[in-house]
mmCIF file of all heavy atoms in Angstrom:
data_model
loop_
_atom_site.group_PDB
_atom_site.id
_atom_site.type_symbol
_atom_site.label_atom_id
_atom_site.label_comp_id
_atom_site.label_asym_id
_atom_site.label_seq_id
_atom_site.Cartn_x
_atom_site.Cartn_y
_atom_site.Cartn_z
ATOM 1 N N LEU A 228 -31.311 48.192 -61.397
ATOM 2 C CA LEU A 228 -30.673 49.381 -61.987
ATOM 3 C C LEU A 228 -31.233 50.663 -61.319
ATOM 4 O O LEU A 228 -32.479 50.772 -61.076
ATOM 5 C CB LEU A 228 -30.993 49.379 -63.449
ATOM 6 C CG LEU A 228 -30.468 48.224 -64.319
ATOM 7 C CD1 LEU A 228 -31.257 47.944 -65.484
ATOM 8 C CD2 LEU A 228 -28.995 48.564 -64.761
ATOM 9 N N ALA A 229 -30.369 51.547 -61.171
ATOM 10 C CA ALA A 229 -30.791 52.836 -60.600
ATOM 11 C C ALA A 229 -30.385 53.986 -61.534
ATOM 12 O O ALA A 229 -29.457 53.730 -62.300
ATOM 13 C CB ALA A 229 -30.045 53.038 -59.194
ATOM 14 N N THR A 230 -31.157 55.053 -61.369
ATOM 15 C CA THR A 230 -30.855 56.233 -62.309
ATOM 16 C C THR A 230 -30.313 57.302 -61.458
ATOM 17 O O THR A 230 -29.812 57.134 -60.342
ATOM 18 C CB THR A 230 -32.135 56.588 -63.037
ATOM 19 O OG1 THR A 230 -33.144 56.752 -62.084
ATOM 20 C CG2 THR A 230 -32.497 55.618 -64.079
ATOM 21 N N GLY A 231 -30.270 58.552 -62.031
ATOM 22 C CA GLY A 231 -29.651 59.698 -61.321
ATOM 23 C C GLY A 231 -28.159 59.613 -61.587
ATOM 24 O O GLY A 231 -27.694 58.801 -62.365
ATOM 25 N N SER A 232 -27.458 60.573 -61.141
ATOM 26 C CA SER A 232 -26.079 60.805 -61.491
ATOM 27 C C SER A 232 -25.140 59.795 -60.641
ATOM 28 O O SER A 232 -23.980 59.331 -61.219
ATOM 29 C CB SER A 232 -25.578 62.226 -61.276
ATOM 30 O OG SER A 232 -25.997 62.599 -59.935
ATOM 31 N N SER A 233 -25.602 59.416 -59.442
ATOM 32 C CA SER A 233 -24.669 58.711 -58.618
ATOM 33 C C SER A 233 -24.129 57.343 -59.083
ATOM 34 O O SER A 233 -22.992 56.998 -58.951
ATOM 35 C CB SER A 233 -25.327 58.467 -57.181
ATOM 36 O OG SER A 233 -25.747 59.609 -56.644
ATOM 37 N N PRO A 234 -24.984 56.608 -59.714
ATOM 38 C CA PRO A 234 -24.518 55.347 -60.281
ATOM 39 C C PRO A 234 -23.813 55.328 -61.628
ATOM 40 O O PRO A 234 -23.319 54.305 -62.064
ATOM 41 C CB PRO A 234 -25.900 54.485 -60.371
ATOM 42 C CG PRO A 234 -26.930 55.341 -60.447
ATOM 43 C CD PRO A 234 -26.343 56.776 -60.061
ATOM 44 N N LEU A 235 -23.632 56.427 -62.173
ATOM 45 C CA LEU A 235 -23.045 56.476 -63.613
ATOM 46 C C LEU A 235 -21.663 55.913 -63.609
ATOM 47 O O LEU A 235 -21.278 55.112 -64.470
ATOM 48 C CB LEU A 235 -23.233 57.958 -64.267
ATOM 49 C CG LEU A 235 -24.540 58.436 -64.448
ATOM 50 C CD1 LEU A 235 -24.510 59.932 -64.969
ATOM 51 C CD2 LEU A 235 -25.277 57.616 -65.340
ATOM 52 N N LEU A 260 -35.439 50.791 -60.805
ATOM 53 C CA LEU A 260 -36.204 51.153 -59.643
ATOM 54 C C LEU A 260 -37.415 51.979 -59.915
ATOM 55 O O LEU A 260 -38.458 51.703 -59.115
ATOM 56 C CB LEU A 260 -35.328 51.960 -58.730
ATOM 57 C CG LEU A 260 -34.132 51.435 -57.932
ATOM 58 C CD1 LEU A 260 -33.332 52.561 -57.359
ATOM 59 C CD2 LEU A 260 -34.804 50.473 -56.829
ATOM 60 N N ASP A 261 -37.435 52.860 -60.855
ATOM 61 C CA ASP A 261 -38.507 53.771 -61.018
ATOM 62 C C ASP A 261 -38.647 54.458 -62.288
ATOM 63 O O ASP A 261 -37.770 54.195 -63.101
ATOM 64 C CB ASP A 261 -38.297 54.795 -59.860
ATOM 65 C CG ASP A 261 -36.876 55.412 -59.771
ATOM 66 O OD1 ASP A 261 -36.073 55.135 -60.734
ATOM 67 O OD2 ASP A 261 -36.524 56.021 -58.839
ATOM 68 N N GLU A 262 -39.639 55.258 -62.549
ATOM 69 C CA GLU A 262 -39.939 55.853 -63.773
ATOM 70 C C GLU A 262 -40.892 57.103 -63.505
ATOM 71 O O GLU A 262 -41.723 57.141 -62.600
ATOM 72 C CB GLU A 262 -40.580 54.945 -64.720
ATOM 73 C CG GLU A 262 -41.007 55.460 -66.035
ATOM 74 C CD GLU A 262 -39.870 56.036 -66.943
ATOM 75 O OE1 GLU A 262 -39.330 57.154 -66.484
ATOM 76 O OE2 GLU A 262 -39.543 55.528 -67.935
ATOM 77 N N TYR A 263 -40.634 58.106 -64.313
ATOM 78 C CA TYR A 263 -41.647 59.360 -64.217
ATOM 79 C C TYR A 263 -42.916 58.849 -64.800
ATOM 80 O O TYR A 263 -43.040 58.089 -65.752
ATOM 81 C CB TYR A 263 -41.102 60.462 -65.015
ATOM 82 C CG TYR A 263 -39.870 61.051 -64.361
ATOM 83 C CD1 TYR A 263 -38.704 60.973 -65.031
ATOM 84 C CD2 TYR A 263 -40.007 61.860 -63.227
ATOM 85 C CE1 TYR A 263 -37.507 61.582 -64.545
ATOM 86 C CE2 TYR A 263 -38.876 62.426 -62.626
ATOM 87 C CZ TYR A 263 -37.538 62.334 -63.259
ATOM 88 O OH TYR A 263 -36.461 62.827 -62.721
ATOM 89 N N TYR A 274 -36.842 57.412 -67.498
ATOM 90 C CA TYR A 274 -35.814 56.429 -66.983
ATOM 91 C C TYR A 274 -35.628 55.189 -67.908
ATOM 92 O O TYR A 274 -34.556 54.682 -67.911
ATOM 93 C CB TYR A 274 -36.152 56.009 -65.516
ATOM 94 C CG TYR A 274 -35.780 57.166 -64.510
ATOM 95 C CD1 TYR A 274 -36.248 57.018 -63.197
ATOM 96 C CD2 TYR A 274 -35.035 58.290 -64.900
ATOM 97 C CE1 TYR A 274 -35.889 58.039 -62.336
ATOM 98 C CE2 TYR A 274 -34.697 59.221 -64.051
ATOM 99 C CZ TYR A 274 -35.150 59.121 -62.669
ATOM 100 O OH TYR A 274 -34.789 60.109 -61.746
ATOM 101 N N ILE A 324 -28.461 48.148 -57.178
ATOM 102 C CA ILE A 324 -27.723 49.453 -57.079
ATOM 103 C C ILE A 324 -28.689 50.539 -56.576
ATOM 104 O O ILE A 324 -29.903 50.577 -57.004
ATOM 105 C CB ILE A 324 -27.233 49.865 -58.423
ATOM 106 C CG1 ILE A 324 -26.164 48.693 -58.866
ATOM 107 C CG2 ILE A 324 -26.441 51.279 -58.397
ATOM 108 C CD1 ILE A 324 -25.537 48.925 -60.368
ATOM 109 N N LEU A 325 -28.204 51.437 -55.699
ATOM 110 C CA LEU A 325 -28.991 52.536 -55.160
ATOM 111 C C LEU A 325 -28.238 53.894 -55.140
ATOM 112 O O LEU A 325 -26.973 53.865 -54.668
ATOM 113 C CB LEU A 325 -29.452 52.296 -53.827
ATOM 114 C CG LEU A 325 -30.449 50.991 -53.560
ATOM 115 C CD1 LEU A 325 -30.531 50.721 -52.077
ATOM 116 C CD2 LEU A 325 -31.877 51.384 -54.181
ATOM 117 N N GLY A 326 -28.842 54.896 -55.404
ATOM 118 C CA GLY A 326 -28.288 56.229 -55.044
ATOM 119 C C GLY A 326 -29.181 56.652 -53.910
ATOM 120 O O GLY A 326 -29.897 55.870 -53.372
ATOM 121 N N ILE A 327 -29.025 57.856 -53.413
ATOM 122 C CA ILE A 327 -29.763 58.439 -52.473
ATOM 123 C C ILE A 327 -30.081 59.912 -52.646
ATOM 124 O O ILE A 327 -29.257 60.613 -53.119
ATOM 125 C CB ILE A 327 -29.095 58.226 -50.994
ATOM 126 C CG1 ILE A 327 -30.044 58.691 -49.972
ATOM 127 C CG2 ILE A 327 -27.825 58.941 -50.946
ATOM 128 C CD1 ILE A 327 -29.464 58.225 -48.546
ATOM 129 N N GLY A 328 -31.340 60.222 -52.380
ATOM 130 C CA GLY A 328 -31.703 61.717 -52.579
ATOM 131 C C GLY A 328 -31.154 62.486 -51.438
ATOM 132 O O GLY A 328 -31.052 61.974 -50.231
ATOM 133 N N GLY A 329 -31.102 63.794 -51.604
ATOM 134 C CA GLY A 329 -30.673 64.673 -50.357
ATOM 135 C C GLY A 329 -31.613 64.515 -49.210
ATOM 136 O O GLY A 329 -31.308 64.763 -48.149
ATOM 137 N N ASN A 330 -32.855 64.206 -49.543
ATOM 138 C CA ASN A 330 -33.935 64.120 -48.535
ATOM 139 C C ASN A 330 -33.989 62.735 -48.017
ATOM 140 O O ASN A 330 -34.972 62.275 -47.408
ATOM 141 C CB ASN A 330 -35.293 64.523 -49.050
ATOM 142 C CG ASN A 330 -35.817 63.798 -50.241
ATOM 143 O OD1 ASN A 330 -35.211 62.755 -50.656
ATOM 144 N ND2 ASN A 330 -37.063 64.138 -50.622
ATOM 145 N N HIS A 332 -34.447 59.865 -49.892
ATOM 146 C CA HIS A 332 -35.197 58.877 -50.686
ATOM 147 C C HIS A 332 -34.316 57.805 -51.474
ATOM 148 O O HIS A 332 -33.145 58.133 -51.737
ATOM 149 C CB HIS A 332 -36.174 59.498 -51.701
ATOM 150 C CG HIS A 332 -35.538 60.231 -52.884
ATOM 151 N ND1 HIS A 332 -35.684 61.568 -53.266
ATOM 152 C CD2 HIS A 332 -34.690 59.740 -53.891
ATOM 153 C CE1 HIS A 332 -35.226 61.774 -54.457
ATOM 154 N NE2 HIS A 332 -34.423 60.759 -54.811
ATOM 155 N N ILE A 333 -34.792 56.725 -51.578
ATOM 156 C CA ILE A 333 -34.255 55.706 -52.500
ATOM 157 C C ILE A 333 -35.251 55.214 -53.432
ATOM 158 O O ILE A 333 -36.459 55.125 -53.091
ATOM 159 C CB ILE A 333 -33.603 54.315 -51.727
ATOM 160 C CG1 ILE A 333 -34.583 53.823 -50.844
ATOM 161 C CG2 ILE A 333 -32.269 54.920 -51.065
ATOM 162 C CD1 ILE A 333 -34.103 52.451 -50.066
ATOM 163 N N GLY A 334 -34.849 54.994 -54.685
ATOM 164 C CA GLY A 334 -35.834 54.888 -55.853
ATOM 165 C C GLY A 334 -36.463 56.289 -55.745
ATOM 166 O O GLY A 334 -35.791 57.303 -55.634
ATOM 167 N N PHE A 335 -37.762 56.324 -55.812
ATOM 168 C CA PHE A 335 -38.531 57.600 -55.611
ATOM 169 C C PHE A 335 -39.386 57.320 -54.322
ATOM 170 O O PHE A 335 -40.408 58.013 -54.260
ATOM 171 C CB PHE A 335 -39.365 57.937 -56.747
ATOM 172 C CG PHE A 335 -38.668 58.734 -57.884
ATOM 173 C CD1 PHE A 335 -38.923 58.565 -59.084
ATOM 174 C CD2 PHE A 335 -37.953 59.928 -57.459
ATOM 175 C CE1 PHE A 335 -38.292 59.310 -60.155
ATOM 176 C CE2 PHE A 335 -37.410 60.735 -58.460
ATOM 177 C CZ PHE A 335 -37.438 60.373 -59.760
ATOM 178 N N ASN A 336 -38.973 56.658 -53.362
ATOM 179 C CA ASN A 336 -39.673 56.534 -52.129
ATOM 180 C C ASN A 336 -39.302 57.801 -51.301
ATOM 181 O O ASN A 336 -38.383 57.875 -50.486
ATOM 182 C CB ASN A 336 -39.202 55.253 -51.353
ATOM 183 C CG ASN A 336 -39.742 53.994 -52.115
ATOM 184 O OD1 ASN A 336 -40.937 53.690 -52.081
ATOM 185 N ND2 ASN A 336 -38.762 53.388 -52.835
ATOM 186 N N GLU A 337 -40.299 58.747 -51.311
ATOM 187 C CA GLU A 337 -40.050 60.030 -50.628
ATOM 188 C C GLU A 337 -40.178 59.879 -49.133
ATOM 189 O O GLU A 337 -40.876 58.783 -48.689
ATOM 190 C CB GLU A 337 -41.025 61.069 -51.305
ATOM 191 C CG GLU A 337 -40.827 61.350 -52.735
ATOM 192 C CD GLU A 337 -39.552 62.259 -52.979
ATOM 193 O OE1 GLU A 337 -38.625 62.291 -52.253
ATOM 194 O OE2 GLU A 337 -39.611 62.802 -54.103
ATOM 195 N N LEU A 351 -43.974 63.361 -56.319
ATOM 196 C CA LEU A 351 -42.513 63.696 -55.974
ATOM 197 C C LEU A 351 -42.485 64.947 -55.214
ATOM 198 O O LEU A 351 -43.292 65.805 -55.261
ATOM 199 C CB LEU A 351 -41.873 64.056 -57.418
ATOM 200 C CG LEU A 351 -41.597 62.869 -58.353
ATOM 201 C CD1 LEU A 351 -41.027 63.302 -59.664
ATOM 202 C CD2 LEU A 351 -40.583 61.945 -57.721
ATOM 203 N N THR A 355 -37.138 67.096 -54.693
ATOM 204 C CA THR A 355 -36.651 66.176 -55.717
ATOM 205 C C THR A 355 -36.863 66.786 -57.012
ATOM 206 O O THR A 355 -35.955 66.565 -57.932
ATOM 207 C CB THR A 355 -37.489 64.780 -55.466
ATOM 208 O OG1 THR A 355 -37.291 64.329 -54.188
ATOM 209 C CG2 THR A 355 -37.028 63.770 -56.498
ATOM 210 N N ARG A 356 -38.014 67.400 -57.281
ATOM 211 C CA ARG A 356 -38.259 67.934 -58.563
ATOM 212 C C ARG A 356 -37.247 69.081 -58.865
ATOM 213 O O ARG A 356 -36.655 69.266 -59.980
ATOM 214 C CB ARG A 356 -39.648 68.522 -58.667
ATOM 215 C CG ARG A 356 -40.738 67.425 -58.657
ATOM 216 C CD ARG A 356 -42.158 67.975 -58.809
ATOM 217 N NE ARG A 356 -42.388 68.515 -60.040
ATOM 218 C CZ ARG A 356 -43.124 69.605 -60.347
ATOM 219 N NH1 ARG A 356 -43.741 70.096 -59.338
ATOM 220 N NH2 ARG A 356 -43.377 69.939 -61.591
ATOM 221 N N ALA A 358 -34.208 69.144 -57.532
ATOM 222 C CA ALA A 358 -32.859 68.476 -57.755
ATOM 223 C C ALA A 358 -32.760 67.949 -59.087
ATOM 224 O O ALA A 358 -31.684 67.949 -59.596
ATOM 225 C CB ALA A 358 -32.723 67.376 -56.652
ATOM 226 N N ASN A 359 -33.853 67.454 -59.637
ATOM 227 C CA ASN A 359 -33.726 66.737 -60.945
ATOM 228 C C ASN A 359 -33.984 67.724 -62.119
ATOM 229 O O ASN A 359 -33.946 67.244 -63.238
ATOM 230 C CB ASN A 359 -34.733 65.642 -61.050
ATOM 231 C CG ASN A 359 -34.373 64.430 -60.148
ATOM 232 O OD1 ASN A 359 -33.321 64.443 -59.485
ATOM 233 N ND2 ASN A 359 -35.079 63.333 -60.211
ATOM 234 N N ARG A 361 -32.134 69.785 -63.212
ATOM 235 C CA ARG A 361 -30.907 70.017 -64.087
ATOM 236 C C ARG A 361 -30.884 69.044 -65.272
ATOM 237 O O ARG A 361 -30.241 69.251 -66.177
ATOM 238 C CB ARG A 361 -29.691 69.726 -63.142
ATOM 239 C CG ARG A 361 -29.498 68.348 -62.651
ATOM 240 C CD ARG A 361 -28.342 68.329 -61.521
ATOM 241 N NE ARG A 361 -27.861 67.028 -61.247
ATOM 242 C CZ ARG A 361 -28.462 66.241 -60.471
ATOM 243 N NH1 ARG A 361 -29.704 66.441 -60.008
ATOM 244 N NH2 ARG A 361 -27.995 65.012 -60.227
ATOM 245 N N PHE A 362 -31.782 68.077 -65.164
ATOM 246 C CA PHE A 362 -31.742 66.991 -66.318
ATOM 247 C C PHE A 362 -32.758 67.501 -67.451
ATOM 248 O O PHE A 362 -32.784 66.883 -68.463
ATOM 249 C CB PHE A 362 -32.263 65.652 -65.821
ATOM 250 C CG PHE A 362 -31.103 65.032 -64.954
ATOM 251 C CD1 PHE A 362 -31.501 64.764 -63.615
ATOM 252 C CD2 PHE A 362 -29.848 64.658 -65.313
ATOM 253 C CE1 PHE A 362 -30.556 64.185 -62.751
ATOM 254 C CE2 PHE A 362 -29.017 64.178 -64.440
ATOM 255 C CZ PHE A 362 -29.377 63.820 -63.168
ATOM 256 N N THR A 377 -42.584 53.866 -58.421
ATOM 257 C CA THR A 377 -41.290 53.474 -57.865
ATOM 258 C C THR A 377 -41.461 52.185 -57.135
ATOM 259 O O THR A 377 -42.530 51.821 -56.657
ATOM 260 C CB THR A 377 -40.689 54.493 -56.791
ATOM 261 O OG1 THR A 377 -39.539 54.048 -56.345
ATOM 262 C CG2 THR A 377 -41.770 54.800 -55.648
ATOM 263 N N VAL A 392 -24.579 53.988 -53.067
ATOM 264 C CA VAL A 392 -23.440 54.868 -53.300
ATOM 265 C C VAL A 392 -23.870 56.358 -53.058
ATOM 266 O O VAL A 392 -24.923 56.692 -53.504
ATOM 267 C CB VAL A 392 -22.726 54.681 -54.655
ATOM 268 C CG1 VAL A 392 -22.114 53.387 -54.711
ATOM 269 C CG2 VAL A 392 -23.563 54.944 -55.809
ATOM 270 N N ALA A 393 -22.857 57.121 -52.560
ATOM 271 C CA ALA A 393 -23.262 58.649 -52.445
ATOM 272 C C ALA A 393 -21.917 59.335 -52.513
ATOM 273 O O ALA A 393 -20.868 58.834 -51.997
ATOM 274 C CB ALA A 393 -23.995 58.888 -51.174
ATOM 275 N N GLN A 394 -21.949 60.478 -53.272
ATOM 276 C CA GLN A 394 -20.697 61.214 -53.363
ATOM 277 C C GLN A 394 -21.111 62.648 -53.040
ATOM 278 O O GLN A 394 -22.130 63.207 -53.464
ATOM 279 C CB GLN A 394 -20.251 61.227 -54.727
ATOM 280 C CG GLN A 394 -19.938 59.738 -55.331
ATOM 281 C CD GLN A 394 -21.209 59.262 -56.079
ATOM 282 O OE1 GLN A 394 -22.219 59.805 -56.071
ATOM 283 N NE2 GLN A 394 -21.098 58.135 -56.722
ATOM 284 N N HIS A 397 -23.420 67.294 -50.223
ATOM 285 C CA HIS A 397 -25.020 67.583 -50.236
ATOM 286 C C HIS A 397 -25.579 66.270 -49.870
ATOM 287 O O HIS A 397 -26.847 66.266 -49.731
ATOM 288 C CB HIS A 397 -25.428 68.106 -51.624
ATOM 289 C CG HIS A 397 -25.047 67.311 -52.732
ATOM 290 N ND1 HIS A 397 -23.837 66.761 -53.105
ATOM 291 C CD2 HIS A 397 -25.884 66.621 -53.728
ATOM 292 C CE1 HIS A 397 -23.853 66.051 -54.182
ATOM 293 N NE2 HIS A 397 -25.152 65.853 -54.555
ATOM 294 N N LYS A 398 -24.901 65.157 -49.766
ATOM 295 C CA LYS A 398 -25.532 63.799 -49.489
ATOM 296 C C LYS A 398 -25.192 63.447 -47.933
ATOM 297 O O LYS A 398 -25.679 62.464 -47.475
ATOM 298 C CB LYS A 398 -25.133 62.691 -50.376
ATOM 299 C CG LYS A 398 -25.518 62.871 -51.848
ATOM 300 C CD LYS A 398 -26.961 62.761 -52.034
ATOM 301 C CE LYS A 398 -27.402 63.194 -53.492
ATOM 302 N NZ LYS A 398 -27.131 62.081 -54.445
HETATM 303 C C1 LIG B 515 -33.406 60.275 -58.294
HETATM 304 C C2 LIG B 515 -33.598 58.883 -58.427
HETATM 305 C C3 LIG B 515 -32.884 58.016 -57.310
HETATM 306 C C4 LIG B 515 -31.553 58.726 -57.156
HETATM 307 C C5 LIG B 515 -31.646 59.973 -56.504
HETATM 308 C C6 LIG B 515 -30.439 60.889 -56.288
HETATM 309 O O1 LIG B 515 -34.392 61.240 -58.450
HETATM 310 N N1 LIG B 515 -34.981 58.582 -58.598
HETATM 311 O O2 LIG B 515 -32.879 56.724 -57.715
HETATM 312 O O3 LIG B 515 -30.768 57.886 -56.272
HETATM 313 O O4 LIG B 515 -32.764 60.739 -57.132
HETATM 314 O O5 LIG B 515 -29.937 61.335 -57.614
HETATM 315 P P1 LIG B 515 -28.571 61.831 -57.869
HETATM 316 O O6 LIG B 515 -27.664 60.502 -57.996
HETATM 317 O O7 LIG B 515 -28.491 62.366 -59.385
HETATM 318 O O8 LIG B 515 -28.083 62.660 -56.784
#
Side-chain angles (χ1 to χ4, degrees):
L228 297 149
T230 51
S232 52
S233 306
L235 294 180
L260 280 172
D261 47 14
E262 176 60 291
Y263 291 112
Y274 283 169
I324 297 173
L325 295 166
I327 185 170
N330 65 359
H332 72 231
I333 51 175
F335 268 137
N336 291 282
E337 299 285 25
L351 290 171
T355 301
R356 295 182 66 214
N359 287 3
R361 67 192 194 281
F362 298 115
T377 182
V392 294
Q394 310 91 352
H397 62 301
K398 299 291 175 73

